[in-house]
Amino acid sequence: MSEHPERPEYSENDVQREVTELEGRSATAARLFDIRRIIGGLFVLYGVIVTITGLTDGDAAIDKAEGININLWTGLGMLLLGLFFLTWLKLRPTAPPPPQKTPESH
């Protein structure tokens, strides 16, 4: 009786194929979770919320900020920053995954 249970044998092609698949998945995850997408999305979301708050502020809130509608200006600034990040992502996307190499037949 053998001390080690039988393990399947993997060829070099099997290992190379598995590595290629993992590299492709990694590149896809990197594009999906690009920090610019997350930051841009959050700034746009919060910018919309703060801008709406600024548009609906009463005179008391504006007087409290010494006559400046701070929520409106902050919301617009957040919207612009979020749109900047999303535009940057669109103009300079992450690098595509490297082309898959096909194993050469001998």
Side-chain angles (χ1 to χ4, degrees), residues 25-62:
R25 289 183 199 154
S26 176
T28 301
R31 281 193 303 278
L32 182 61
F33 295 109
D34 190 338
I35 193 73
R36 295 173 294 179
R37 180 184 318 263
I38 296 168
I39 291 173
L42 285 174
F43 266 98
V44 167
L45 176 68
Y46 293 144
V48 167
I49 293 169
V50 175
T51 300
I52 291 171
T53 302
L55 291 172
T56 60
D57 271 347
D59 290 334
I62 294 172

Side-chain angles (χ1 to χ4, degrees), residues 3-105:
E3 288 182 31
H4 301 288
E6 290 186 33
R7 289 185 265 172
E9 293 295 321
Y10 295 104
S11 71
E12 184 65 32
N13 288 338
D14 292 337
V15 172
Q16 185 63 34
R17 186 177 60 246
E18 185 71 23
V19 167
T20 303
E21 288 176 11
L22 288 174
E23 285 174 346
R25 289 183 199 154
S26 176
T28 301
R31 281 193 303 278
L32 182 61
F33 295 109
D34 190 338
I35 193 73
R36 295 173 294 179
R37 180 184 318 263
I38 296 168
I39 291 173
L42 285 174
F43 266 98
V44 167
L45 176 68
Y46 293 144
V48 167
I49 293 169
V50 175
T51 300
I52 291 171
T53 302
L55 291 172
T56 60
D57 271 347
D59 290 334
I62 294 172
D63 290 340
K64 195 175 187 180
E66 298 186 13
I68 299 171
N69 192 341
I70 194 72
N71 285 332
L72 178 64
W73 289 109
T74 302
L76 292 174
M78 292 173 78
L79 274 171
L80 287 175
L81 183 63
L83 291 174
F84 167 76
F85 272 97
L86 295 176
T87 303
W88 179 21
L89 176 68
K90 185 75 171 172
L91 295 176
R92 295 276 185 152
T94 55
Q100 294 184 0
K101 297 176 185 174
T102 56
E104 298 175 16
S105 56

